[in-house]
């Protein structure tokens, strides 16, 4: 190391997660001089560096707001083959595409500096306030020399997957399971069960080290029509992957995470490359945040990498040559030198589903994600101690936990919508981002204040991006207006999110207004001024909102869309099939106006629809009725 220097900064963000780059970007856009530190050479966390490129949650257009919506539309513009590529998600893209977009956004902000290749060595506090953060920064790409820098921040944001800064800052956090008796969460284990060895061995959800494959057919026929992948019986795979293809067969297993160009994201939970062993090694006593990792953590990382490479090799053999090695990542050395391309199959970092969770002013529990009542379509809106609605971001993922063995039983929160299953929308309260004990610390990723059970629904890419956006905007408002985070009026933050000039974000779950509706901002403001306008179905009520109906002929055009016509047949259970001259297509939509139109169909009806086909998911995603 070389001699120390000192540097003041308004907002310091420790990144490495998707929420970190979102927080730093929004803080700078909102006027605060911001410094983003990342341990690795890429910005985007799970949306790029970790290779989790088939985002889950917030797929419906009412929830495509904020930085998540902006990224989604930029991805659609950049990926010429479109985002309809797989069946786990409505979106699939290559990791370098997302990283390029994020880097372009970061480079455009004069108030934002990004330092990759950093380690946080020490955090000093003065009373309840972080006063200095000591950082070791690489002197140059691939250099072994580090510069020691003391940073004096006004506000600090932890935007990491695992809450890296909390132990260094002596900020209280939670790690592991909580008993059902503690908060009454319906899916939590009983206190007596927590004594079983499983819970000690599995302190967090199982992570994955994503590995990429490449379909030999490239952009040719979907694997479901590829004769080399057809089989009447699941293949016999070696342990520990014996049952990986039992449920869906090889073809469907591979098309699960297909990306543009025939790349394949292998992030497979069914006896696949989830990793379950020795996870506590990632949360031992922390001496520093960043690389190089401690010896136990390095051993864990090596085991995860080898496990994923082995899984890819087994699937290559089972596919009869239809799947081969896929290289979408640079080597660490190439990445440190600025490259976004390379021949590496392994992602640059693991996909951590869970880590340390902040003790915040508010705590998000599982029951706060569930429908407010039977027949309701939204969860209850959170309230702060003054009775104000404190929502700052919307999520709608159904809830999903990864462990070895059978699926963990979870309280249902899904609903039939638009010809498919979606999750009940819920909101994150601002207090879940604010440290209870460290007055200038905010959280911006999976490390927000949630229970272990609730983390299964709050950890997804779209929601994390918008949580990061809210954290960055809150930090900038605090710097500009002289508030501590706990003092910031939540309505001030909500107004700024709704009116953000580049990526307006909706804090409230209004089902009927997609992001592109001309009255979207007015609808969000209506809930802000009077939360009672939003009923339990997520509909706006009271004049002038009662009876509001969007036009099913109106939705933005998309690349790759075309006219489809035929007889549309409802199945009576919320599903639809379009019988065309080319054969039958299951129909789905992400648009609320078209969902409302579909829901009133009772018999086969001749239609003309505009949409995009997804042969790998085997559905037709329609956006609007064609004008006659």
């Amino acid at each position: 190391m070389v001699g120390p220097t000192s540097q003041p900064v308004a907002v310091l963000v420790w990144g490495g997660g998707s929420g970190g780059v979102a927080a730093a970007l929004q803080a700078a856009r909102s006027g605060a001089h911001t410094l983003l530190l990342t341990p690795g050479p890429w910005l985007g966390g799970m949306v790029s560096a970790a290779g989790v490129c088939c985002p889950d949650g917030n797929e419906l257009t009412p929830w495509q707001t904020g930085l998540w919506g902006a990224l989604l539309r930029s991805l659609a513009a950049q990926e010429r083959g479109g985002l309809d590529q797989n069946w786990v998600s409505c979106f699939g893209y290559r990791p370098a595409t997302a990283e390029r977009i994020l880097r372009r956004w970061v480079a455009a902000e004069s108030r934002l500096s990004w330092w990759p290749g950093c380690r946080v060595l020490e955090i000093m506090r003065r009373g309840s306030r972080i006063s200095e953060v000591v950082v070791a920064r690489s002197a140059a790409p691939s250099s072994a020399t580090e510069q020691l820098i003391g940073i004096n921040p006004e506000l600090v944001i932890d935007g990491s997957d695992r809450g890296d800064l909390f132990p260094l800052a002596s900020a209280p956090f939670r790690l592991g399971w909580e008993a059902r008796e503690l908060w009454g969460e319906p899916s939590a284990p009983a206190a007596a069960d927590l004594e079983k060895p499983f819970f000690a061995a599995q302190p967090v959800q199982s992570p994955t080290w994503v590995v990429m494959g490449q379909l030999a057919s490239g952009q040719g026929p979907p694997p479901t029509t590829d004769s080399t992948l057809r089989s009447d019986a699941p293949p016999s795979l070696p342990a520990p992957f014996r049952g990986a293809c039992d449920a869906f067969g090889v073809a469907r297993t591979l098309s699960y995470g297909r990306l543009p160009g025939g790349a394949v994201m292998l992030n497979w939970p069914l006896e696949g490359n989830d990793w379950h062993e020795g996870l506590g090694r990632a949360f031992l006593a922390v001496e520093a945040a960043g690389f190089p990792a401690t010896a136990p953590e390095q051993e864990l990382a090596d085991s995860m990498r080898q496990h994923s490479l082995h899984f890819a090799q087994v699937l290559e053999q089972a596919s009869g040559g239809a799947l081969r090695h896929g290289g979408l990542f640079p080597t660490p050395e190439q990445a440190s030198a600025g490259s976004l391309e390379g021949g590496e199959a392994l992602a640059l970092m693991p996909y951590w589903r869970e880590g340390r969770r902040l003790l915040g002013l508010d705590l998000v529990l599982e029951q706060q994600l569930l429908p407010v009542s039977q027949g309701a379509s939204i969860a209850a809106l959170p309230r702060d101690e003054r009775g104000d609605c404190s929502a700052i971001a919307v999520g709608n993922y159904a809830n999903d936990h990864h462990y070895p063995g059978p699926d963990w039983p979870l309280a249902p929160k899904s609903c039939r919508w638009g010809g498919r299953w979606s999750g009940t929308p819920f909101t994150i309260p601002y207090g879940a981002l604010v440290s209870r004990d460290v007055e200038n610390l905010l959280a911006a990723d999976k490390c927000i204040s949630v229970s272990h059970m609730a983390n299964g629904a709050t950890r997804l890419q779209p929601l994390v991006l918008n949580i990061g956006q809210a954290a960055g905007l809150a930090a900038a408002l605090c710097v500009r207006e002289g508030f501590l985070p706990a003092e910031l009026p939540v309505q001030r933050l909500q107004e700024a999110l709704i009116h953000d000039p580049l990526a307006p974000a909706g804090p409230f779950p209004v089902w009927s207004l997609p992001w592109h509706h001309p009255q979207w901002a007015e609808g969000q403001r209506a809930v802000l001024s009077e939360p009672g306008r939003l009923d339990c179905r997520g509909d706006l009520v009271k004049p002038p909102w009662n009876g509001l109906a969007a036009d099913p002929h109106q939705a933005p055009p998309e690349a790759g869309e075309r006219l489809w016509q035929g007889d549309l047949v409802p199945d009576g259970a919320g599903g639809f099939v379009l019988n065309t001259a080319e054969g039958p297509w299951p129909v789905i939509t992400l648009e609320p106006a078209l969902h409302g139109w579909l829901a009133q169909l009772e018999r086969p009806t001749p239609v003309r629809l505009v949409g995009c086909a997804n042969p790998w998911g085997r559905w037709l995603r329609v956006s609007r009725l064609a004008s006659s």
Side-chain angles (χ1 to χ4, degrees):
M1 295 188 182
V2 298
T5 61
S6 183
Q7 179 172 326
V9 67
V11 178
L12 175 66
V13 181
W14 173 248
S18 300
V21 65
L25 184 69
Q26 188 63 46
R29 285 180 172 180
S30 303
H33 289 279
T34 304
L35 175 60
L36 171 62
L37 312 176
T38 60
W42 276 28
L43 278 166
M46 58 179 164
V47 301
S48 61
V52 195
C53 296
C54 303
D56 282 318
N58 290 49
E59 72 283 5
L60 307 179
T61 56
W63 325 138
Q64 291 178 15
T65 73
L67 286 176
W68 155 240
L71 177 63
L72 184 62
R73 289 181 278 283
S74 293
L75 288 167
Q78 294 295 314
E79 291 287 10
R80 294 184 179 179
L83 304 184
D84 296 275
Q85 299 286 338
N86 56 75
W87 59 269
V88 69
S89 168
C90 288
F91 319 109
Y93 60 89
R94 290 166 290 191
T97 306
E99 185 70 13
R100 285 192 182 93
I101 293 167
L102 294 173
R103 291 194 185 193
R104 185 172 68 247
W105 288 354
V106 166
E109 299 306 318
S110 60
R111 296 183 181 91
L112 177 55
S113 299
W114 171 37
W115 295 356
C118 289
R119 293 187 296 142
V120 175
L121 302 182
E122 188 177 7
I123 296 178
M124 274 83 83
R125 280 175 50 172
R126 185 175 295 116
S128 61
R129 184 180 185 84
I130 293 173
S131 58
E132 185 172 17
V133 178
V134 180
V135 175
R137 181 190 183 192
S138 297
S142 303
S143 170
T145 303
E146 293 180 317
Q147 182 182 14
L148 201 63
I149 304 170
I151 300 170
N152 306 117
E154 294 184 49
L155 270 296
V156 177
I157 300 175
D158 189 323
S160 67
D161 290 322
R162 292 183 294 164
D164 296 338
L165 299 188
F166 301 160
L168 290 169
S170 298
F173 60 87
R174 297 179 178 90
L175 180 65
W177 298 70
E178 294 96 14
R180 185 185 312 138
E181 291 86 344
L182 183 61
W183 298 310
E185 294 181 294
S187 306
D193 289 336
L194 287 178
E195 301 300 321
K196 296 176 180 178
F198 169 85
F199 296 99
Q202 194 76 26
V204 295
Q205 289 194 59
S206 300
T208 303
W209 205 299
V210 170
V211 61
M212 295 291 177
Q214 177 67 43
L215 292 170
S217 56
Q219 297 194 53
T224 48
T225 65
D226 191 329
S227 61
T228 63
L229 290 176
R230 285 203 217 118
S231 176
D232 293 330
S236 177
L237 302 182
F241 312 114
R242 196 175 310 282
C245 297
D246 286 359
F248 297 99
V250 176
R252 290 286 285 170
T253 299
L254 297 183
S255 60
Y256 168 89
R258 187 187 182 278
L259 307 176
V264 173
M265 176 197 73
L266 295 178
N267 171 26
W268 187 250
L270 306 178
E271 297 187 46
N273 57 328
D274 277 4
W275 182 259
H276 316 294
E277 298 176 13
L279 298 177
R281 289 175 286 179
F283 304 100
L284 298 174
V286 176
E287 297 178 0
F291 301 116
T294 61
E297 188 173 354
Q298 187 61 52
E299 291 171 2
L300 173 60
D302 291 343
S303 298
M304 291 171 65
R305 291 189 187 98
Q306 292 306 312
H307 181 68
S308 284
L309 289 171
H310 186 198
F311 182 54
Q313 182 182 37
V314 164
L315 286 183
E316 286 176 26
Q317 294 169 351
S319 74
L323 180 72
R324 60 174 186 255
H325 177 93
L328 291 187
F329 293 99
T331 65
E333 294 75 21
Q334 290 170 331
S336 295
S339 176
L340 297 182
E341 307 288 351
E344 292 294 300
L346 280 168
L348 289 165
M349 61 181 285
Y351 170 35
W352 283 99
R353 293 182 173 89
E354 185 183 2
R356 304 173 189 91
R357 293 170 277 114
L358 183 71
L359 260 67
L361 298 182
D362 287 322
L363 172 63
V364 180
L365 301 176
E366 181 192 17
Q367 52 266 49
Q368 295 166 352
L369 314 177
L370 304 177
V372 64
S373 61
Q374 187 173 6
S377 302
I378 63 170
L381 294 177
R383 303 275 183 166
D384 62 20
E385 60 185 13
R386 294 181 295 272
D388 295 327
C389 178
S390 56
I392 48 84
V394 175
N396 82 315
Y397 194 58
N399 209 351
D400 178 34
H401 279 243
H402 288 236
Y403 313 110
D407 286 345
W408 188 269
L410 293 156
K413 63 180 295 293
S414 295
C415 55
R416 193 78 164 159
W417 198 95
R420 60 192 294 276
W421 288 97
S422 187
T424 299
F426 58 88
T427 54
I428 301 296
Y430 171 60
L433 282 57
V434 182
S435 172
R436 188 188 68 185
D437 292 9
V438 183
E439 66 180 28
N440 60 340
L441 175 64
L442 291 160
D445 206 276
K446 303 179 186 78
C447 56
I448 63 170
S449 181
V450 299
S451 71
H452 171 76
M453 297 313 304
N455 166 262
T458 62
R459 61 180 173 79
L460 283 305
Q461 307 94 316
L463 177 55
V464 164
L465 285 168
N466 284 3
I467 287 171
Q469 180 177 8
L473 183 48
L477 291 172
C478 287
V479 168
R480 186 169 70 216
E481 300 179 15
F483 291 113
L484 291 173
E487 301 168 343
L488 179 67
V490 68
Q491 286 198 345
R492 181 73 185 87
L493 175 58
Q494 292 163 333
E495 289 169 354
L497 286 166
I498 295 168
H499 295 289
D500 186 79
L502 295 179
F508 309 114
V510 183
W511 273 101
S512 55
L513 296 178
W515 66 269
H516 54 78
H517 194 285
Q519 291 177 289
W520 175 85
E522 291 178 53
Q524 291 288 319
R525 286 197 303 270
V527 182
L528 176 60
S529 62
E530 189 180 349
R533 285 178 181 264
L534 194 65
D535 69 13
C536 67
R537 296 182 303 276
D539 293 327
L540 285 166
V541 296
K542 301 182 181 180
W545 299 102
N546 48 320
L548 176 71
D551 185 350
H553 295 85
Q554 298 297 317
E558 299 180 74
E561 68 178 20
R562 51 161 282 199
L563 176 67
W564 299 80
Q565 50 190 345
D567 289 331
L568 186 62
V569 182
D571 65 7
F576 306 88
V577 173
L578 182 67
N579 292 316
T580 73
E582 304 167 28
W585 279 92
V587 168
I588 68 169
T589 188
L590 309 181
E591 292 288 345
L594 197 53
H595 162 72
W597 184 86
L598 289 169
Q600 51 83 39
L601 291 181
E602 297 180 350
R603 59 182 61 87
T605 304
V607 296
R608 300 172 74 246
L609 301 167
V610 178
C612 299
N614 182 339
W616 299 276
R618 191 55 195 175
W619 61 64
L620 177 63
R621 181 179 57 81
V622 294
S623 59
R624 63 189 186 276
L625 297 175
S627 299
S628 56

